[in-house]
Amino acid sequence: MTDKLIIFDTTLRDGEQSPGASMTKEEKVRIAKSLEKMRVDVIEAGFPIASVGDFEAVQAVANSIKDSTVCGLARALDNDIDRAGEALKNANSARIHTFIATSPIHMQLKLRMEPDAVVEQAVRAVKRARQYTDNVEFSPEDAGRSELDFLCRILEAVIDAGATTLNIPDTVGYNVPEQFGGLIHNLIQRIPNSDKAIFSVHCHNDLGLAVANSLSAVMNGARQVECTINGLGERAGNASLEEIVMAVKTRKDIFPCETNIDTTQIVSTSRLVSGITGFAVQPNKAIVGANAFAHESGIHQDGVLKNRETYEIMKAEDVGWTANRMVLGKHSGRNAFKTRMKELGTVFDTDSELNEAFSRFKDLADKKHEIFDDDLQALVTVARQEATNEFTKLISVKVCAETGETPNANVTLLVNNEEKHGNSSGAGSVDATFKAIESIINSQTTLQLYSVNAITSGTDAQGEVTVRLEKAGRIVNGQGADIDIVVASAKAYVNALNKLFHSDDKAHPQLADV
Ligand code: KIV
Ligand code: ZN
């Protein structure tokens, strides 16, 4: 008998806590649909009390997802739980995830609460959450540094109060596999009513051990893993969904459980998340990195050609690498475009949105012979991001660059509906372009990251650029895509400026005051 391993995806919540990875409501719905298609069991859509935007995003995900359970995060506070319950009202299947810190350091220095009061608040929170749904998850935050006796006490109490999933977070990524697996084993053995709940784990990757710790927990009885696409998440990130799922699938001989995941959807979902957040996937990242299935050395190629199992433990097509087929070209019509976009999970709300996207597609098809799924995804991501550029828009960029000469850029922007021109020289074409934009905006920001990624292969591929800007502690990522990487860079810079000047202050669940 094989157990089921529940896959709980928190890309839209913990993933969004990565600096600059914040997503719009519409982007969250797009990602949620892709997760649903992948047959993720539970989608944590956000932290509804954090802001109006977060509340609406959780609500929108709850309204549009039918096959996965939709979950909202809430501190162990009445208002948080009521807000989560309200946001999830229309979900087909809803879960409230409530948490409170249990480690001595967090209770003393962050909460300033005695352990007895923490237990009381946790029990009250679970009971309140049960008024909205019978699917309630409780997390003792910083469990990885909490005392075993206290964990047993609080977890026994919340099970009695109605918690159906107990999630054990290694919040600061401090644990190592043997120890973390041992913790799960001890909890299951020692808590008298442990058979009434499912044990889950939520590991952070500060020591690069999030996946190893989660898998060790699975070996010791955990039957839910919380993870994110591409390992996105607070600081060094969370355990990566694709690595957990493929480890369990590939090593059936070791793991006594299986997931529901349709693994062929992994690569396209990974691409969607990296395109929307601007967090590029490193080429050597397991499963979803561009090199994950590339056999460079002659010996390996020879072996793979004779029999792929000599060097391959998984098939590239099993995780969706071959799915990125050439779909459309210059002569494809509006209907073909609309149909393919729908298959990729994008539905246009209005005719004018479809027309605008289709005209971008035609422009691209004029310049680029073969249009792949990834091109289409990027096209929609960028179009939707540009549509939210309220403060400033890019009208044109012209760059003169010649060997031995200093590059010079002329930029025209629309700023609050007024056309403005800027000019600057720079170390290179991109530097000159950014300086020309700054000569107009004078944003006084710091450029924290600039990255270029080719969306597909070939020299006519679109370049996908991410620009990360920081101002007074606020960090935003801007994205741009174009066949010309200088234009893509200008678009990304302008998009970042728009995000920076659009205030969307939201509370951080783990730092906000209780
Ligand atoms: O890392 C953590 O402890 C969390 C909790 C809210 C589960 O994200
Ligand atoms: Zn976390």
Side-chain angles (χ1 to χ4, degrees), residues 13-14 17 169 171 202 204 234 238 510:
R13 198 277 298 170
D14 216 323
Q17 287 174 215
T171 303
H202 173 112
H204 279 272
E234 184 95 49
N238 290 64
Q510 286 150 291

Side-chain angles (χ1 to χ4, degrees), residues 13-14 17 73 97 99 139 141-142 167 169-171 202 204 226 238 510:
R13 198 277 298 170
D14 216 323
Q17 287 174 215
L73 184 70
H97 174 193
F99 73 99
S139 291
E141 188 194 356
D142 204 17
N167 178 48
D170 181 18
T171 303
H202 173 112
H204 279 272
E226 301 200 353
N238 290 64
Q510 286 150 291

